[in-house]
Amino acid sequence: MSFADRIKQHSDQFTPGEQRIAEVLFSTNLLAGLDTVVRLGERARVSGPTVIRFATKIGFDSYPDMQASLRLDIESRLASPLDLYGRQSGEGDTLSAQAADIFSEAIRRSLTRIDAATLDKVANLLADGSHAVYVLGGRFTHHLAEILWGHLHQLRPRAYVLRSGVVSPRDHLVDIGRRDVLVVFDIRRYQEDVIELAEFAKLRRATIVLVTDPLLSPIARIASHVLTCDLDAPSPYDSLVPCMAVVELMIAAITRAASEKGRERIVEIEQIRRFGEQGTRGEDG
């Protein structure tokens, strides 16, 4: 379990002071947890004993134990493909067998980690055509953003994907407002430009839905809903296979939430396609 997961797991048990500690940790990408007890207490406006109780509540024997775990977590956060080069498991197995084990287990963990209530809230939010939905991804995760957007476009109106081009992603957000939603994909090594766009959308009072890894993007501190996916792979590169499974789960839940309105929109799209095909055949004749 990652350090961020520990905090999320116990968040409903936090006192107001402990909640402020969690907010300080997430606002600093967890780095504030490396401060002394006194310094972290000052930043969260709580006493030293409250900081120590926080460490105990999330499962550590002491504050130094919490910091030792956090250091390992941060190292994992910042790991590059070079740091991970040569990682493999299942020595003696074929690479295909290793990959099957790694991917299937990562998908299982990712899907079982998402609770039904959160999935329903996200699906209902994204199926609701009364507000606009913007979808944003990073260097690699923009592929996931495009796939999700393609299905959203079929199931509801006013769905937009933010991509670089004549109009920049930042320019697209000129219209985002308090009733709108930004779905953002951000996995480790978290992208500053993606984080900045999410922060801007939050300033405009949009609702943020974040898809990230278990270590949590800094965007988690401002997101209303967070879905996490594992990154395990048989190579030094983080895998998008579990994240793709999470996207497919989202699509299934959104389709169910869109219900008859979604079906009617798909029918209309198919009619337009057939009209276009007939027109092309007519021109050829």
Side-chain angles (χ1 to χ4, degrees):
M1 183 184 298
S2 73
F3 192 88
D5 274 339
R6 284 178 180 269
I7 296 175
K8 286 175 59 183
Q9 185 180 63
H10 296 88
S11 60
D12 59 346
Q13 304 165 20
F14 289 163
T15 64
E18 291 165 347
Q19 184 61 45
R20 287 199 298 276
I21 295 173
E23 290 170 358
V24 168
L25 289 170
F26 282 130
S27 70
T28 62
N29 209 6
L30 301 182
L31 293 176
L34 300 179
D35 285 340
T36 64
V37 169
V38 172
R39 176 60 181 145
L40 179 55
E42 289 174 348
R43 296 176 75 162
R45 306 188 311 280
V46 300
S47 66
T50 299
V51 173
I52 294 171
R53 283 195 298 272
F54 175 87
T56 302
K57 185 169 285 187
I58 63 174
F60 296 102
D61 294 332
S62 65
Y63 189 70
D65 284 343
M66 185 191 88
Q67 290 188 313
S69 175
L70 181 54
R71 287 189 183 94
L72 292 174
D73 201 293
I74 291 172
E75 287 176 10
S76 296
R77 261 177 186 268
L78 301 177
S80 69
L82 184 59
D83 296 323
L84 299 172
Y85 206 87
R87 70 175 176 183
Q88 56 184 325
S89 62
E91 210 169 301
D93 293 337
T94 66
L95 183 57
S96 294
Q98 291 176 29
D101 289 342
I102 291 169
F103 290 145
S104 59
E105 180 59 22
I107 291 171
R108 187 196 64 78
R109 284 196 305 266
S110 300
L111 297 185
T112 56
R113 190 186 296 121
I114 298 172
D115 66 271
T118 298
L119 182 62
D120 285 345
K121 288 177 183 176
V122 169
N124 289 329
L125 188 65
L126 300 186
D128 184 356
S130 67
H131 52 248
V133 172
Y134 299 82
V135 189
L136 170 68
R139 182 183 173 196
F140 289 103
T141 55
H142 75 91
H143 301 295
L144 301 174
E146 293 270 357
I147 291 169
L148 178 60
W149 167 73
H151 288 81
L152 285 172
H153 175 71
Q154 287 210 339
L155 293 167
R156 48 150 300 147
R158 302 174 65 204
Y160 310 100
V161 64
L162 307 187
R163 59 164 76 98
S164 297
V166 176
V167 179
S168 73
R170 190 177 297 276
D171 292 343
H172 274 293
L173 292 180
V174 67
D175 296 318
I176 201 167
R178 64 185 300 274
R179 284 183 48 78
D180 300 327
V181 181
L182 174 67
V183 182
V184 56
F185 293 81
D186 190 37
I187 62 175
R188 76 173 178 192
R189 309 156 76 192
Y190 312 108
Q191 285 186 224
E192 287 298 329
D193 57 336
V194 172
I195 295 168
E196 288 174 3
L197 286 169
E199 290 174 340
F200 175 78
K202 188 65 176 180
L203 285 175
R204 299 289 289 264
R205 302 176 67 186
T207 298
I208 310 295
V209 176
L210 171 66
V211 181
T212 186
D213 59 89
L215 297 174
L216 296 187
S217 159
I219 298 169
R221 64 187 171 85
I222 60 172
S224 298
H225 307 287
V226 179
L227 305 177
T228 62
C229 48
D230 284 25
L231 304 176
D232 293 357
S235 74
Y237 300 99
D238 289 331
S239 172
L240 294 183
V241 169
C243 290
M244 187 65 237
V246 170
V247 170
E248 293 285 2
L249 176 64
M250 293 172 68
I251 291 167
I254 295 164
T255 303
R256 180 179 296 181
S259 190
E260 187 60 22
K261 285 186 177 180
R263 193 191 72 81
E264 290 172 359
R265 183 172 169 86
I266 292 173
V267 168
E268 188 173 0
I269 289 172
E270 290 297 324
Q271 289 173 342
I272 293 171
R273 287 177 178 174
R274 284 196 295 271
F275 178 81
E277 291 168 359
Q278 290 168 359
T280 301
R281 285 196 295 269
E283 290 174 4
D284 291 342

